[in-house]
Amino acid sequence: MYFSELFEIEYKAEFDWFDPIIENDTLLFIDPFLIFSDSDPSWRQAYVEMMEYFDSAFRLLSRSDLNPKHQYFKRTLSLMEFPEPQEFRLGFASKSSAGSGSGPGLAAKVVEAMTQAVRRGIEDIEHFEELGILVPGINRDRISDITCNLLKPRFIKYTQDICHSLDVPMEVQKIRHSTYDAMRSRWMDAEHLAPVDPESGRPILLVPKRFLRELPTLSSESWGQFLDTSLRDDMNIKISEGVKKAEIINLARSRPDVLRRWVQHLEETGSAPYDVDSDPMLHVSWQRLAREAIDTEPICNVMPIASPNDLLTFAHSAIEHFRNWVEKKGGWRAFWRDLPNLKPVPETNMQLLFLGVLDHYCAQAGVTLDREVETGRGPVDFTFTSAGNIRVLLEMKKLTHGEFWHGLHTQTPSYMASQGVDHAVFLAVRDSQTKPMQERWKKLDSEAASISEANSCTIEVARIDIMPKESASSS
């Protein structure tokens, strides 16, 4: 359910705010650079205040002589401790919006990056995201987390203003890390008016959709691209030919002058947010599309499930309903962000759409569907569980996935063994018709039978063909 649906708002594209999915985090991130370059002076001022926070932490760290036992070093660590901002429903969490947590681990990485900078004579930074280019581990999720935490008071006020304008009810809620006590130099939990998810009892905070991106503007990825296109001859490197991320980081550490030139270049050229409303990558609209599929292909007359074979039959039936929607009712269009050039959406987002459809079917059958269950040997894509702890695993792979056969030959039987499960479905999603992919498509059944026999288990094959359909595209 989306925020707008929860509070019965007719969402319009002209709305400034992002309409989050309540139960699942959306794989988008707040990019602080977009706040820095925003046309609204109040948001630009918010960015200034955020950088002043980092500047004061840099000064404190410098006074510690980089001694981890010094009180100023410890104080810097506490200033850099940012809890998971669950109120925003953004980031990497796969099944729910509970998040995976950050806190002390993130603080250590941030202070490590600051220490690296100080050792190289950098005692302040123009954009805190630069830290993510100096030390691995400060990824897009953590950059977004830091931004959400430091600007949380602003986002609370922003949410309250929207709720007042749309008559959205609010309740007094304790929100973590929401007030900064300057006297004690620490963040405090505090009570605020906020909209609440009645299912979980947790507050919801909104953000301007123009601040959202898939990657931060200032990231190791874009730094590498800048090196490749602008400094290839100067530095005698070729990033696109397999230079590792660690080497890109080392270049940033050894050439802070080039890093600053790159930042200046981006300040001059600017950046653009992710287009939330057209949603070319299916990050946001998958839940609405799942409902369309369910309405078009409803499941009827679900039989009682009393054995693994019954559950396997149900899984195939659910997949078949989804396949009919994709292949016969035009659902294949959802899987492509650029049809003329045949660029599919990410596999993880295909899985989200699949999850949204199967969740409904499973609820009808009294079956629990979990996504990315940790097996001890890695996460399996889906697990069906029925009464009596009857389970079937499902592994979903695009046909063109680089580890397609590894998924069938190794991952699936390994997951089954670690979970004590004898039945699984390997779901192949056809996203190419090249000759090698046609051969792969044909070999699936025989390969699955061979792997099943070798591992004394049952791995059955299911297929979904998302290739554009000529009759549908020409109509």
Side-chain angles (χ1 to χ4, degrees):
M1 179 178 290
Y2 296 85
F3 177 87
S4 59
E5 295 170 335
L6 177 61
F7 293 105
E8 300 180 344
I9 300 165
E10 184 182 351
Y11 189 79
K12 301 175 183 177
E14 57 263 29
F15 285 167
D16 180 70
W17 48 278
F18 173 64
D19 189 14
I21 297 171
I22 301 302
E23 306 89 351
N24 294 77
D25 285 353
T26 299
L27 198 62
L28 291 172
F29 307 87
I30 294 182
D31 181 4
F33 190 88
L34 293 175
I35 301 174
F36 157 79
S37 58
D38 195 58
S39 60
D40 186 333
S42 66
W43 284 113
R44 292 201 306 273
Q45 178 58 32
Y47 188 89
V48 169
E49 293 168 6
M50 188 162 57
M51 290 313 304
E52 287 174 349
Y53 183 89
F54 270 95
D55 287 343
S56 65
F58 258 101
R59 289 193 296 271
L60 199 63
L61 183 64
S62 298
R63 291 168 61 192
S64 75
D65 294 326
L66 306 183
N67 178 1
K69 295 182 179 180
H70 198 287
Q71 61 173 331
Y72 289 155
F73 192 99
K74 294 177 181 179
R75 178 76 64 81
T76 306
L77 272 173
S78 67
L79 288 174
M80 293 298 111
E81 189 167 322
F82 303 106
E84 185 81 20
Q86 299 174 5
E87 304 88 357
F88 295 89
R89 277 68 172 174
L90 297 168
F92 278 125
S94 56
K95 172 62 179 171
S96 71
S97 58
S100 57
S102 41
L106 173 59
K109 287 185 178 295
V110 173
V111 174
E112 179 190 353
M114 293 169 67
T115 301
Q116 291 283 352
V118 171
R119 283 175 177 158
R120 284 163 177 77
I122 303 173
E123 296 193 1
D124 63 357
I125 49 175
E126 296 174 14
H127 302 273
F128 80 83
E129 312 96 287
E130 294 175 42
L131 297 175
I133 304 159
L134 294 170
V135 168
I138 304 177
N139 57 21
R140 52 183 171 167
D141 200 32
R142 287 172 166 174
I143 287 171
S144 182
D145 283 357
I146 291 169
T147 308
C148 287
N149 272 283
L150 290 177
L151 298 187
K152 194 175 285 186
R154 299 254 182 176
F155 289 128
I156 290 171
K157 176 64 165 57
Y158 177 81
T159 302
Q160 290 171 342
D161 288 346
I162 289 166
C163 289
H164 285 310
S165 67
L166 295 172
D167 293 323
V168 173
M170 293 183 284
E171 302 173 22
V172 174
Q173 288 282 304
K174 180 176 282 189
I175 299 180
R176 293 183 68 194
H177 208 265
S178 58
T179 298
Y180 184 65
D181 187 330
M183 290 291 293
R184 288 189 275 180
S185 298
R186 59 180 293 191
W187 285 91
M188 309 287 290
D189 299 347
E191 291 187 337
H192 305 270
L193 274 176
V196 176
D197 170 21
E199 186 72 24
S200 66
R202 294 194 293 113
I204 306 165
L205 293 182
L206 304 174
V207 300
K209 59 188 175 185
R210 66 183 185 276
F211 295 159
L212 299 178
R213 275 176 60 91
E214 294 176 283
L215 285 172
T217 302
L218 302 178
S219 65
S220 58
E221 288 86 351
S222 55
W223 162 244
Q225 291 166 5
F226 174 73
L227 289 174
D228 188 32
T229 57
S230 302
L231 303 171
R232 185 181 307 157
D233 298 332
D234 179 39
M235 302 185 74
N236 193 28
I237 57 174
K238 186 78 167 70
I239 299 301
S240 59
E241 291 180 353
V243 175
K244 296 179 180 178
K245 184 173 180 179
E247 295 174 34
I248 296 174
I249 290 171
N250 286 335
L251 284 168
R253 291 176 176 177
S254 63
R255 293 290 301 272
D257 58 317
V258 177
L259 187 63
R260 285 293 166 88
R261 279 164 52 191
W262 168 65
V263 172
Q264 184 178 1
H265 165 76
L266 286 175
E267 289 178 349
E268 293 169 355
T269 57
S271 183
Y274 178 76
D275 190 340
V276 168
D277 295 315
S278 67
D279 191 27
M281 302 297 278
L282 208 65
H283 291 308
V284 184
S285 57
W286 63 267
Q287 197 173 89
R288 291 189 181 94
L289 288 165
R291 290 182 199 150
E292 176 188 319
I294 292 161
D295 291 342
T296 306
E297 282 289 324
I299 259 191
C300 303
N301 303 320
V302 178
M303 301 296 291
I305 295 169
S307 71
N309 281 326
D310 291 343
L311 187 55
L312 197 60
T313 300
F314 165 77
H316 278 295
S317 175
I319 293 168
E320 179 66 13
H321 278 73
F322 185 66
R323 187 185 68 79
N324 283 340
W325 174 72
V326 171
E327 297 181 9
K328 299 178 182 179
K329 305 295 175 63
W332 56 268
R333 292 184 179 88
F335 291 88
W336 301 94
R337 69 183 191 270
D338 189 348
L339 272 175
N341 298 308
L342 291 185
K343 294 180 181 178
V345 301
E347 185 177 82
T348 52
N349 291 358
M350 294 182 185
Q351 292 174 349
L352 275 175
L353 176 54
F354 186 62
L355 173 71
V357 173
L358 263 66
D359 256 341
H360 178 82
Y361 293 157
C362 288
Q364 285 183 260
V367 172
T368 301
L369 179 68
D370 294 308
R371 182 169 180 247
E372 292 190 354
V373 176
E374 184 56 52
T375 65
R377 303 183 187 183
V380 67
D381 290 334
F382 299 97
T383 303
F384 296 91
T385 306
S386 188
N389 200 31
I390 300 171
R391 286 179 296 164
V392 168
L393 304 187
L394 187 147
E395 188 75 7
M396 180 179 178
K397 283 274 191 292
K398 288 195 304 183
L399 197 61
T400 56
H401 195 292
E403 295 190 350
F404 182 83
W405 286 128
H406 177 71
L408 176 60
H409 294 166
T410 304
Q411 288 180 328
T412 302
S414 173
Y415 298 158
M416 293 171 73
S418 64
Q419 291 287 289
V421 175
D422 295 325
H423 295 73
V425 177
F426 187 84
L427 174 59
V429 179
R430 186 176 195 170
D431 61 332
S432 171
Q433 289 181 318
T434 63
K435 189 172 181 180
M437 294 302 106
Q438 289 179 27
E439 289 299 315
R440 182 174 286 187
W441 191 250
K442 291 176 184 176
K443 287 176 62 178
L444 263 173
D445 291 296
S446 61
E447 291 289 322
S450 175
I451 296 300
S452 295
E453 183 177 356
N455 291 274
S456 301
C457 63
T458 302
I459 302 176
E460 297 190 357
V461 169
R463 293 173 170 87
I464 295 175
D465 187 350
I466 66 170
M467 294 303 298
K469 311 299 182 281
E470 292 183 11
S471 60
S473 58
S474 60
S475 61

